[in-house]
C-alpha cells in the first residue's frame, strides 16, 4: 500500500481533474434523494434520473408509494435493473418512515440505517448530500479507484476501504473526495477501459503500470 502522503498527493491530482464533482442524482429533497440512491444500486445515475423525472411527479410522499399496488410501482420503474426488489424496498422504506419518523427522512446515521432497505452507503450519501454532514460513501467507483491506486488493498472489504479513506482524508473533505473519486472512476478510471495512457497518475499507479507493461508485451 502507498503512504498517506502519496495518497493525498494523488487525491490532489484528482481534485484538479474534477474540482466541481457533485451528486448527479437529481432530487429536490432528502426523501427524493433517498429513493434515488435506492434506485441507483447497480444502475447508472443517468438512467435513474430518466426514471425519477416522471416518478417524482407521481409520487411525492411515502403515502403515495404505499397507495398504489406493488405491480404499479414496478411498472413505473421497470426500466431500472432489479426493479422488483427495488419496488419492494421502496415500499418497506416508506412504511418504516411513516411508522418511525412521521414520514420524514431522519438526520442521523443510526436512524437512517434503521430504515428498511437503507444500508451504510445510502445513509452516507443522504447524510452528506441532503444534510451536509461529512461522509465518505464507498460505492463501486470509490472502491475500484482506491484499490487500483494502492490506497487500499484488493482484499479490503467496503467497510475497510471507508475506514482507510476516512483516516487519510481530512474530515471536512470527505464529501468532496467522495464525489471526486466517483467522477474519476466514472469518467476516467473506468472499470473496463481505464484511460491509463492519458492518466496523470500513471507513474505512481500500480494497476496502470501493470496494464502499461501488458500493453508493451502485446505490442512487441
Ligand atoms: Fe486508473 Fe489507469 Fe490512472 Fe491507474 S493509471 S488511476 S488504472 S486510469
Amino acid at each position: 500500500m502507498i503512504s498517506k502522503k502519496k495518497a493525498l498527493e494523488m487525491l490532489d491530482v484528482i481534485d484538479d481533474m474534477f474540482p466541481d464533482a457533485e451528486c448527479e442524482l437529481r432530487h429536490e429533497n432528502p426523501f427524493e434523494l433517498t429513493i434515488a440512491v435506492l434506485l441507483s444500486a447497480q444502475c447508472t445515475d443517468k438512467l435513474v434520473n430518466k426514471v425519477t423525472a416522471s416518478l417524482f411527479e407521481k409520487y411525492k410522499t411515502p403515502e403515495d408509494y404505499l397507495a398504489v399496488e406493488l405491480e404499479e410501482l414496478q411498472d413505473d420503474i421497470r426500466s431500472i435493473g432489479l426493479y422488483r426488489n427495488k419496488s419492494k424496498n421502496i415500499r418497506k422504506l416508506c412504511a418504516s418512515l411513516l411508522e418511525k419518523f412521521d414520514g420524514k427522512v431522519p438526520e442521523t446515521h443510526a436512524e437512517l440505517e434503521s430504515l428498511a432497505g437503507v444500508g451504510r452507503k445510502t445513509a452516507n450519501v443522504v447524510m452528506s448530500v441532503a444534510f451536509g454532514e461529512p461522509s465518505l460513501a464507498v460505492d463501486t467507483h470509490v472502491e475500484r479507484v482506491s484499490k487500483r491506486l494502492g490506497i487500499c488493498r484488493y482484499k479490503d472489504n467496503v467497510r475497510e476501504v471507508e475506514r482507510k479513506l476516512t483516516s487519510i482524508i481530512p474530515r471536512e473533505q470527505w464529501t468532496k473526495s467522495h464525489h471526486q473519486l466517483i467522477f474519476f472512476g466514472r469518467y476516467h478510471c473506468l472499470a473496463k477501459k481505464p484511460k491509463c495512457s492519458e492518466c496523470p497518475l500513471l507513474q505512481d499507479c500500480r494497476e496502470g503500470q501493470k496494464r502499461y507493461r501488458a500493453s508493451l508485451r502485446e505490442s512487441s
Side-chain angles (χ1 to χ4, degrees):
M1 280 201 324
I2 60 172
S3 67
K4 177 176 174 177
K5 183 170 171 285
K6 178 55 73 183
L8 288 171
E9 284 170 12
M10 287 174 153
L11 292 166
D12 271 350
V13 173
I14 294 173
D15 183 26
D16 284 343
M17 290 172 78
F18 298 103
D20 301 320
E22 60 181 5
C23 178
E24 293 193 299
L25 291 169
R26 276 197 229 117
H27 62 281
E28 296 285 332
N29 54 53
F31 178 56
E32 287 187 355
L33 176 64
T34 310
I35 299 288
V37 179
L38 282 191
L39 291 172
S40 71
Q42 294 179 49
C43 178
T44 64
D45 287 3
K46 208 169 163 186
L47 180 55
V48 172
N49 287 338
K50 208 168 154 193
V51 168
T52 55
S54 52
L55 191 76
F56 292 163
E57 281 298 312
K58 179 172 175 182
Y59 303 91
K60 298 199 180 293
T61 66
E63 287 94 336
D64 292 341
Y65 286 96
L66 295 168
V68 299
E69 294 295 326
L70 175 63
E71 290 70 24
E72 185 172 336
L73 180 55
Q74 285 178 346
D75 274 346
D76 289 332
I77 65 166
R78 187 173 289 271
S79 55
I80 286 186
L82 309 174
Y83 69 92
R84 286 196 180 85
N85 271 341
K86 287 177 182 175
S87 307
K88 285 182 196 154
N89 283 340
I90 287 173
R91 284 164 61 92
K92 282 186 200 161
L93 165 76
C94 291
S96 66
L97 276 177
L98 288 167
E99 190 190 325
K100 296 178 180 176
F101 301 106
D102 205 19
K104 303 248 175 357
V105 176
E107 298 186 27
T108 69
H109 266 105
E111 288 173 325
L112 275 166
E113 285 190 61
S114 77
L115 293 166
V118 174
R120 186 164 184 88
K121 188 198 85 174
T122 302
N124 274 342
V125 174
V126 174
M127 285 307 296
S128 60
V129 176
F131 301 127
E133 171 83 15
S135 290
L136 212 160
V138 176
D139 75 345
T140 180
H141 300 297
V142 176
E143 182 177 3
R144 182 179 68 255
V145 166
S146 304
K147 290 180 176 178
R148 282 181 173 173
L149 289 173
I151 297 173
C152 304
R153 295 171 301 183
Y154 276 104
K155 65 179 184 183
D156 286 343
N157 62 31
V158 171
R159 197 72 180 87
E160 285 165 335
V161 172
E162 184 184 331
R163 263 197 292 272
K164 274 186 193 149
L165 288 172
T166 51
S167 71
I168 290 171
I169 301 168
R171 187 170 188 275
E172 66 276 11
Q173 291 174 22
W174 287 353
T175 302
K176 187 178 75 161
S177 292
H178 157 73
H179 294 307
Q180 290 176 332
L181 286 166
I182 288 178
F183 270 53
F184 186 74
R186 187 176 285 157
Y187 300 113
H188 181 84
C189 187
L190 288 78
K192 288 195 179 137
K193 286 193 178 169
K195 300 176 181 176
C196 301
S197 61
E198 57 190 83
C199 182
L201 296 173
L202 175 60
Q203 199 177 347
D204 292 318
C205 174
R206 61 180 183 183
E207 176 72 23
Q209 287 295 327
K210 204 167 77 186
R211 287 170 183 263
Y212 178 65
R213 284 194 295 274
S215 71
L216 285 182
R217 277 197 300 276
E218 273 169 25
S219 59
S220 64

